[in-house]
Amino acid sequence: MSGAALGIEIVVVFFLALFLLHRYGDFKKQHKMVLFGTLLAWYLCFLIVFILPLDVSTTIYKQCKIDNEEHSSNSAVTVHSNQSTRNDSTTPAGLRKECYKPWSYIPDGIMPIFWRVVYWTSQCLTWLLLPFMQSYARSGGFSITGKIKTALIENAIYYGTYLLIFGSLLIYVAVHPNLIGHLDWYQLQTIGITAANTWGLFLLVLLLGYGLVEIPRSYWNASRRGHLLMKTYFKAAKLMTEKADAEESLEDAMEEVRKVSECIKYNHPLRKNIDTILKKCPTEYQEKMGRNMDDYEDFDEKQNVYPSEKSLVKLHKQVIYAVQRHNRTRVQWQILLETAFHLEDVAKNETSGTHQFVRSCTPQEPEGFISRYLYTPTVEWYWECLLRQWCYRILAVMLTLFSVAVVWSECTFFSTQPVLSLFAVFIQLAEKTYNYLYIEMACFLTIFFLCTCVYSTVFRIRVFNYYYLASHHQTDAYSLQFSGMLFCRLTPPLCLNFLGLIHMDSAISHQNREQTAYTSIMGSMRVLSFIADGFYIYYPMLIVLLCIATYFSLGTRCLNLLGFQQFVGDNDMTSDLTDEGKELIRREKRKRQRVEDGENRRREWKERYGNQREDYTRNRNVQSSEMKETNYSDTNNSNRQAMKYTRSNNLPERDRIELLQEAEPMDFNAETFADDPHDAETGRHPAVGRYLSMSRSRIFDDV
């Protein structure tokens, strides 16, 4: 198994990242560079989360071997000094501790190279490529040079903050008297890594303090269906306001595009820029503008005032932002509708005596194998109405205990004698019994929980609602790039913080232990003593204050007092928005039910009358074949019989021909009615079809 576990996890993690990207992204519509950059960013971050537990178990095995070698050498010296006076001394072999190689052991020399490639590639993505690609795609420029210039200006803030931290640390090292003569490339590299980790840790603690409280509380509130339904109504009212604002902004942008498109004709030098803007507009607006555009008129520079290229760049950027915002609110509205419909169905089915889950609206997704055969209506009723709320409550309690352990360990991980960090205690207990599988699973679950608390916070807080992750290929390109950039920026400092929690980072724990390969790549933080001994130890304690503030919803209450509408218990504004959202959901449900009823009636009509038409066509073919086989002796009778069959058989066909040709109806028209029968017979009035002319003769015969 030498290196086999590493190879297997590398392949499995790649397919996991590819599967998630396929679920959230759209391979057919989104640009290949966006998909490739997001896939690479997700893949590298997942590798850090999955491979770091293997690095920890391998390091523990190496530490055991080092301890045995030191113990053997010390025992040999002791035996040699006392062998003349003691004859019953214990042999060194009896004092040695047996080391068991882990199943996922990775040979020496592989992990440092692996971590170096993963770390520096992810840092190039998060600080250089992904922000540049995001700003480049959002730029309103029409040339490559203009887009590059805009992207560099927009990312100057990110680059400036990073360079500011790096420059400050570099000045500190240069001024420090003990480090002036030892400043080399390795220490400069360590300063750069420290600057990135410092920025990440600063944001990490803020997000973690919110997520450690909000994640368990969200699962507990999910078990309270009434509370969750009221909150969904509240979100619906707020999102409808934002959706209406986004539609209005899109309409305004499209109106500006229409005016500019009508002003600048086909032979104007700026017409190609207008065509570029039109390609970014939704399809229905493109068709509408294409029908109303007259390109046969030449432009006149003297009479008309044309917009400048700078104003077109501004309009292009406005269109990109308006379309993105409109698509985001539309997708979020559909997701919120599905959630509200489902919660209402659960509330109605709770009192059902048949124990069959009945949906008020047909789901948008087609039923799969699991939904059709395994997740039956009976199973769904027991899960949604009975088991789910209890499972959520148990999960909320477990996550609460996990959060308490994280908060306690973040405040005490610097203490090594005695060991106060709970995660360090658990890992050291498993280390004594060489339970490597438990060590790897404990490390993976802890890192995964920390990542969930941090990353979900970004998409939960209202300030960051500009980006979202929606399944079923509904996530836009900007949110994908933002998620990849965020993952690469926060995962390395998060994992380094985890190694400090389990006392595997000697720069913080100050223990003479074997370093993990991941820590060796990060460099020795002792180059910057105030970072290793100050910021990395005491700043995470701020998480206690953040958790207390989140528990009492201080941020939500402050925003509500400032005028930002928040869901706060018993409040008049909250009640009004909840009632408004309830009415909006009810209106959308009635609209969807009318559409479904229309489709059902159309399907039933097609099944009923479509079969009759097929039977009629089949009978007609049989009658025509019988006519061909039958010979009559009387020619006149044969002709009359043929006319009879021809008329009766051709009428439906003629009806279809008249419908396809959009023939006029056979109604009485006083304007075209001729008083003189001779006029009708001579055909002065235009005929509107053979079927209509035959019908006229029958009408006159009746008269």
Side-chain angles (χ1 to χ4, degrees):
M1 294 295 291
S2 178
L6 177 63
I8 293 173
E9 288 204 6
I10 288 175
V11 176
V12 171
V13 169
F14 174 78
F15 285 104
L16 175 63
L18 187 64
F19 168 75
L20 292 177
L21 183 61
H22 173 70
R23 180 175 177 81
Y24 288 96
D26 193 343
F27 287 173
K28 296 180 180 179
K29 297 181 180 180
Q30 291 169 349
H31 197 275
K32 297 297 183 289
M33 288 301 298
V34 173
L35 296 174
F36 175 75
T38 306
L39 176 62
L40 184 59
W42 288 9
Y43 177 54
L44 295 176
C45 295
F46 293 165
L47 279 178
I48 297 176
V49 175
F50 279 84
I51 304 300
L52 188 60
L54 305 185
D55 191 7
V56 171
S57 61
T58 302
T59 304
I60 291 176
Y61 172 70
K62 293 180 180 179
Q63 182 64 39
C64 179
K65 292 175 62 178
I66 294 174
D67 293 341
N68 279 343
E69 292 177 357
E70 293 179 354
H71 186 70
S72 299
S73 60
N74 293 335
S75 299
V77 172
T78 304
V79 170
H80 180 73
S81 60
N82 297 332
Q83 63 181 352
S84 58
T85 59
R86 296 183 59 184
N87 297 326
D88 55 346
S89 61
T90 307
T91 60
L95 295 176
R96 290 190 59 183
K97 181 173 61 173
E98 186 176 1
C99 297
Y100 297 95
K101 181 181 292 188
W103 67 277
S104 57
Y105 175 75
I106 301 174
D108 297 338
I110 295 179
M111 289 307 299
I113 299 176
F114 174 81
W115 286 129
R116 190 174 290 110
V117 172
V118 169
Y119 178 78
W120 287 112
T121 306
S122 64
Q123 292 304 298
C124 290
L125 282 173
T126 187
W127 290 103
L128 298 176
L129 295 181
L130 287 179
F132 181 82
M133 290 171 59
Q134 194 176 27
S135 301
Y136 183 88
R138 231 187 254 168
S139 173
F142 299 101
S143 62
I144 298 178
T145 305
K147 290 186 176 183
I148 292 176
K149 181 180 178 180
T150 305
L152 291 176
I153 294 175
E154 289 184 356
N155 287 279
I157 299 176
Y158 293 105
Y159 302 148
T161 55
Y162 184 76
L163 291 177
L164 179 63
I165 298 174
F166 178 79
S168 302
L169 297 178
L170 184 61
I171 293 173
Y172 171 80
V173 174
V175 173
H176 204 278
N178 298 330
L179 299 175
I180 294 178
H182 303 283
L183 191 62
D184 54 5
W185 170 249
Y186 176 76
Q187 292 184 351
L188 288 176
Q189 182 179 348
T190 303
I191 294 173
I193 296 174
T194 305
N197 290 336
T198 302
W199 192 96
L201 185 63
F202 176 80
L203 185 60
L204 182 69
V205 172
L206 298 179
L207 299 176
L208 196 61
Y210 179 86
L212 288 174
V213 176
E214 194 61 30
I215 294 296
R217 184 161 58 186
S218 64
Y219 279 99
W220 182 263
N221 290 333
S223 64
R224 303 162 55 198
R225 298 194 187 92
H227 177 272
L228 189 60
L229 186 58
M230 292 298 106
K231 192 172 184 179
T232 305
Y233 289 151
F234 179 83
K235 290 180 179 179
K238 291 187 61 178
L239 187 58
M240 175 53 72
T241 304
E242 186 179 359
K243 183 172 178 289
D245 190 13
E247 292 175 353
E248 184 178 355
S249 300
L250 182 62
E251 290 288 344
D252 295 341
M254 293 301 103
E255 181 65 21
E256 293 293 331
V257 173
R258 185 190 63 80
K259 293 179 181 179
V260 174
S261 178
E262 292 177 355
C263 178
I264 298 179
K265 301 302 179 181
Y266 71 100
N267 54 352
H268 195 279
L270 296 178
R271 183 63 201 182
K272 59 181 181 180
N273 298 339
I274 299 297
D275 295 336
T276 303
I277 296 176
L278 288 175
K279 291 179 182 179
K280 302 296 178 61
C281 299
T283 307
E284 59 270 17
Y285 289 99
Q286 293 183 19
E287 296 175 354
K288 188 184 301 183
M289 294 177 189
R291 289 195 300 265
N292 298 332
M293 186 175 59
D294 186 8
D295 280 346
Y296 295 99
E297 299 180 5
D298 295 337
F299 76 96
D300 189 358
E301 295 183 357
K302 298 180 180 180
Q303 297 181 0
N304 297 329
V305 178
Y306 297 98
S308 61
E309 186 176 0
K310 186 176 181 180
S311 62
L312 291 181
V313 169
K314 184 178 179 180
L315 178 61
H316 189 197
K317 188 174 183 179
Q318 180 184 355
V319 169
I320 293 175
Y321 175 76
V323 171
Q324 179 198 358
R325 187 184 177 194
H326 177 262
N327 293 335
R328 174 180 62 83
T329 53
R330 178 179 55 83
V331 172
Q332 290 178 338
W333 177 251
Q334 293 299 326
I335 295 173
L336 192 62
L337 284 181
E338 295 296 332
T339 303
F341 294 162
H342 178 73
L343 292 175
E344 290 181 346
D345 292 342
V346 171
K348 292 180 180 179
N349 283 274
E350 283 182 345
T351 58
S352 175
T354 59
H355 294 179
Q356 297 282 333
F357 195 87
V358 180
R359 297 180 181 271
S360 59
C361 297
T362 305
Q364 300 292 329
E365 307 173 12
E367 291 186 355
F369 176 80
I370 297 178
S371 300
R372 186 175 301 175
Y373 298 103
L374 299 180
Y375 196 60
T376 59
T378 303
V379 176
E380 186 176 6
W381 186 90
Y382 278 101
W383 167 250
E384 295 291 345
C385 300
L386 292 180
L387 300 178
R388 187 170 188 169
Q389 57 180 347
W390 291 105
C391 292
Y392 276 11
R393 290 175 183 176
I394 295 173
L395 182 60
V397 173
M398 295 174 60
L399 293 178
T400 302
L401 297 177
F402 217 138
S403 298
V404 172
V406 170
V407 173
W408 173 262
S409 300
E410 289 285 356
C411 297
T412 59
F413 70 93
F414 58 88
S415 176
T416 56
Q417 294 295 332
V419 179
L420 299 178
S421 175
L422 297 179
F423 296 102
V425 172
F426 296 151
I427 296 299
Q428 290 178 8
L429 289 176
E431 183 180 352
K432 295 178 181 179
T433 59
Y434 300 101
N435 194 346
Y436 294 112
L437 183 60
Y438 167 80
I439 293 174
E440 294 172 2
M441 290 301 299
C443 293
F444 172 75
L445 292 177
T446 305
I447 298 173
F448 181 77
F449 176 71
L450 295 177
C451 291
T452 303
C453 292
V454 172
Y455 300 148
S456 63
T457 302
V458 178
F459 298 101
R460 282 174 179 268
I461 297 179
R462 183 65 182 85
V463 178
F464 297 102
N465 201 29
Y466 187 77
Y467 302 101
Y468 67 98
L469 287 178
S471 58
H472 308 295
H473 321 291
Q474 298 295 328
T475 308
D476 59 6
Y478 308 102
S479 298
L480 290 176
Q481 291 175 337
F482 176 77
S483 64
M485 182 174 61
L486 183 74
F487 292 172
C488 290
R489 196 167 295 183
L490 295 180
T491 303
L494 187 145
C495 292
L496 191 63
N497 178 257
F498 166 74
L499 292 177
L501 294 180
I502 62 174
H503 293 175
M504 298 290 289
D505 187 1
S506 60
I508 298 176
S509 61
H510 302 287
Q511 291 179 330
N512 189 15
R513 289 178 57 91
E514 178 70 11
Q515 291 272 352
T516 60
Y518 184 82
T519 310
S520 63
I521 295 302
M522 292 296 174
S524 177
M525 297 301 171
R526 294 171 183 172
V527 176
L528 303 170
S529 59
F530 77 98
I531 294 291
D533 299 333
F535 182 78
Y536 277 10
I537 292 178
Y538 297 105
Y539 179 70
M541 294 182 183
L542 183 63
I543 200 171
V544 178
L545 299 178
L546 295 173
C547 288
I548 294 174
T550 306
Y551 178 78
F552 291 103
S553 302
L554 296 182
T556 302
R557 297 180 186 277
C558 291
L559 290 176
N560 192 45
L561 291 175
L562 293 176
F564 297 95
Q565 300 163 355
Q566 301 293 321
F567 187 78
V568 181
D570 297 333
N571 191 358
D572 294 337
M573 182 65 70
T574 302
S575 301
D576 294 340
L577 289 176
T578 301
D579 295 337
E580 181 182 351
K582 186 176 182 179
E583 183 62 30
L584 290 172
I585 296 298
R586 187 180 303 167
R587 189 184 308 166
E588 291 292 334
K589 179 180 286 189
R590 288 198 300 265
K591 186 187 302 183
R592 182 172 296 187
Q593 287 176 349
R594 285 197 299 267
V595 173
E596 292 179 359
D597 293 340
E599 292 179 354
N600 293 332
R601 287 195 299 268
R602 199 176 299 111
R603 191 182 303 110
E604 292 176 359
W605 186 89
K606 185 177 181 180
E607 292 176 355
R608 180 181 301 176
Y609 296 100
N611 295 333
Q612 293 181 3
R613 185 176 296 273
E614 292 178 359
D615 296 339
Y616 178 80
T617 306
R618 193 181 301 110
N619 294 332
R620 189 182 66 178
N621 294 334
V622 173
Q623 291 176 0
S624 61
S625 63
E626 291 178 354
M627 284 176 52
K628 293 180 181 179
E629 295 177 356
T630 307
N631 294 324
Y632 292 93
S633 57
D634 192 355
T635 304
N636 295 330
N637 293 335
S638 176
N639 292 334
R640 285 196 297 270
Q641 191 74 10
M643 290 175 62
K644 176 182 177 182
Y645 278 97
T646 303
R647 177 174 296 179
S648 61
N649 292 332
N650 288 339
L651 281 178
E653 186 68 21
R654 288 174 181 173
D655 290 346
R656 288 192 290 270
I657 293 175
E658 295 297 336
L659 289 174
L660 292 174
Q661 293 179 352
E662 298 182 354
E664 296 294 332
M666 192 185 62
D667 293 337
F668 176 79
N669 192 350
E671 296 179 358
T672 59
F673 181 77
D675 293 334
D676 189 1
H678 179 70
D679 294 340
E681 292 176 359
T682 55
R684 291 182 182 179
H685 298 281
V688 291
R690 295 177 58 191
Y691 179 71
L692 187 57
S693 63
M694 288 179 61
S695 301
R696 281 181 179 175
S697 62
R698 289 184 178 181
I699 293 175
F700 292 134
D701 290 342
D702 293 337
V703 173

